[in-house]
Amino acid sequence: MVEETPYGQRSFLDFGYSEDFRPQLRPHSTASRLKSYLGPHEQWSYPLEHQILAKRRGKEQGTPFSMKPYVNPLLGPSQASLISGGARFVPCMRLVEEVPIDMMLGCTNNTSDPPSVLCTIEELCGHGGFKNGKPNQWWRFIIPIFCHAGIVHLMVNMFVQCTVAAHVELEVGSVAFIIIYFSAGIFGNILGGNFALVGLPSVGASGAIFGTVGCMWVDLIAHWRYEHRPSQKLLMLGFELFFGIALGFLPGTDNFAHIGGFLLGLLSSIALYPIISETQKHAKCFMVVRGVAAMLGVMLIVVLLNNFYTRNPYSELESLRQTSSSFVQYTSSLMLHIAIDRGFNQFRLIHRNSQVETITSKFQDYNA
């Protein structure tokens, strides 16, 4: 059966596999959306071909675990499904010149490499499409906190939340914990959106969890005199932090979200954590510190959000690469100079020792 569509004559069988198909999006007004949910399907709702396309793609790969074209080692869906589900994906959130919205990528139901079922960025991002043709899905700073890349990812995060995060909530209270947890998770996604790889989706509560780790650091430093075996606790927290940052260098993980979450976790914990003050002077001084930490946290969020929406993420990555390259070159040069100096000093020491041995042997021969 062939149907006339706004894009020409097209068979229903072609809807799920056509590369140049551009479905019409439902209107963005609240009234129109309500009508599309509650009323009959008229001109303001999905067109018929879009409904059929949604049904076809709703089956995705037929399994919650991605096996084709790539296996997800965390036992979860494909990257396309993560993007469609709400992962932090910069091309869905702002215009990126190197990744235009009409670029064709593999759809959620694609199982071949190279992909045979293609979608545009707008179709892949979903969530009602782009308003006025511009990516503006700001909620992808928040939704990834509730999403995970797979069962393994979910279980690890749940274990940490049931141990570390639960202890922090008991210490600070539920309201302060919610503020620390979500501010750290959101800021981790903001920092990752500025500096992480643009073309890779990111999900997980790792930034929020690192915020709770930062809270434990504030507790330890502020109450060092009252802690039982503080040095042992410092060693454990240092190992946890080092291990978490080290995991961030593995492929598919976002270390910027970890670092951002930890940083804002420190600031928000300084502002909200109940600190024991033995004197009025200490309490007043710490109130000033709380205010400075809160203002600094808000400033970081505002500045990086402005940077995200006004600067090109690719230029930020390029400047970061240049800075890293310069640092590596400087470090290599410094280490080379140190090695040369050490070698020269050793040579001088050996030469001096040989001279001393020569003089000593001559003096012994003379005495003999």
Side-chain angles (χ1 to χ4, degrees):
M1 180 177 180
V2 176
E3 178 76 11
E4 287 290 338
T5 73
Y7 310 101
Q9 225 177 37
R10 198 171 299 276
S11 168
F12 284 165
L13 297 177
D14 295 334
F15 288 146
Y17 304 96
S18 180
E19 298 182 10
D20 60 344
F21 179 66
R22 302 288 190 278
Q24 297 179 2
L25 302 174
R26 69 174 68 183
H28 289 275
S29 66
T30 305
S32 299
R33 286 182 177 178
L34 247 118
K35 287 181 181 179
S36 66
Y37 284 121
L38 303 177
H41 292 282
E42 297 173 0
Q43 287 185 345
W44 35 259
S45 67
Y46 280 160
L48 181 60
E49 60 269 20
H50 196 184
Q51 297 174 43
I52 296 172
L53 179 62
K55 285 291 184 183
R56 284 185 176 275
R57 288 180 181 165
K59 296 180 180 179
E60 310 235 337
Q61 294 186 355
T63 172
F65 309 115
S66 177
M67 298 299 175
K68 296 179 181 180
Y70 304 107
V71 176
N72 184 343
L74 299 178
L75 300 180
S78 63
Q79 288 191 351
S81 297
L82 293 176
I83 295 171
S84 180
R88 191 198 75 220
F89 188 58
V90 175
C92 296
M93 305 167 72
R94 52 150 296 170
L95 284 173
V96 180
E97 295 180 1
E98 290 78 2
V99 190
I101 59 175
D102 58 351
M103 176 180 285
M104 306 301 293
L105 299 176
C107 294
T108 54
N109 61 339
N110 175 68
T111 57
S112 61
D113 184 26
S116 58
V117 187
L118 300 174
C119 298
T120 63
I121 295 288
E122 184 172 7
E123 293 169 357
L124 192 61
C125 292
H127 292 231
F130 300 153
K131 188 176 181 179
N132 300 325
K134 294 182 179 180
N136 61 339
Q137 297 181 358
W138 53 267
W139 53 87
R140 290 180 181 267
F141 286 127
I142 305 171
I143 292 179
I145 300 174
F146 304 96
C147 301
H148 291 82
I151 294 177
V152 176
H153 190 195
L154 174 63
M155 296 303 292
V156 171
N157 278 2
M158 286 300 296
F159 173 76
V160 179
Q161 292 196 45
C162 290
T163 53
V164 177
H167 173 74
V168 170
E169 184 177 3
L170 288 175
E171 292 285 336
V172 303
S174 297
V175 175
F177 174 78
I178 289 173
I179 296 173
I180 294 171
Y181 186 86
F182 282 102
S183 62
I186 293 170
F187 183 74
N189 284 323
I190 293 173
L191 188 68
N194 276 274
F195 299 109
L197 294 175
V198 176
L200 291 178
S202 176
V203 292
S206 298
I209 291 173
F210 267 80
T212 62
V213 174
C215 191
M216 296 187 70
W217 276 85
V218 171
D219 176 30
L220 176 63
I221 295 171
H223 302 134
W224 183 271
R225 290 188 299 170
Y226 314 118
E227 288 284 350
H228 177 64
R229 295 180 179 176
S231 301
Q232 183 178 353
K233 189 174 180 180
L234 176 65
L235 184 64
M236 290 299 298
L237 287 178
F239 174 77
E240 288 178 5
L241 182 61
F242 174 79
F243 184 71
I245 298 296
L247 287 178
F249 288 101
L250 295 175
T253 55
D254 183 4
N255 223 358
F256 288 103
H258 298 172
I259 296 171
F262 180 73
L263 176 60
L264 207 79
L266 288 175
L267 294 175
S268 57
S269 299
I270 291 172
L272 298 173
Y273 200 91
I275 303 297
I276 298 174
S277 297
E278 295 182 348
T279 63
Q280 287 291 331
K281 182 179 180 181
H282 180 271
K284 291 179 181 179
C285 290
F286 203 80
M287 286 298 294
V288 176
V289 174
R290 289 181 189 274
V292 172
M295 288 189 294
L296 185 58
V298 172
M299 286 176 57
L300 281 174
I301 292 175
V302 172
V303 169
L304 285 176
L305 272 177
N306 179 70
N307 185 73
F308 177 79
Y309 284 108
T310 57
R311 300 285 297 275
N312 187 348
Y314 269 96
S315 66
E316 303 296 335
L317 286 172
E318 187 61 31
S319 63
L320 193 63
R321 289 193 201 97
Q322 291 176 357
T323 304
S324 301
S325 177
S326 302
F327 177 74
V328 170
Q329 290 177 0
Y330 171 76
T331 306
S332 301
S333 176
L334 182 62
M335 294 298 291
L336 180 62
H337 284 300
I338 292 174
I340 292 174
D341 289 341
R342 285 184 176 178
F344 183 69
N345 289 335
Q346 288 179 358
F347 173 76
R348 287 194 303 177
L349 182 61
I350 293 171
H351 182 64
R352 187 188 308 164
N353 290 339
S354 64
Q355 286 181 336
V356 171
E357 289 176 357
T358 303
I359 294 173
T360 303
S361 62
K362 287 183 178 179
F363 180 74
Q364 290 175 350
D365 292 342
Y366 177 78
N367 289 337

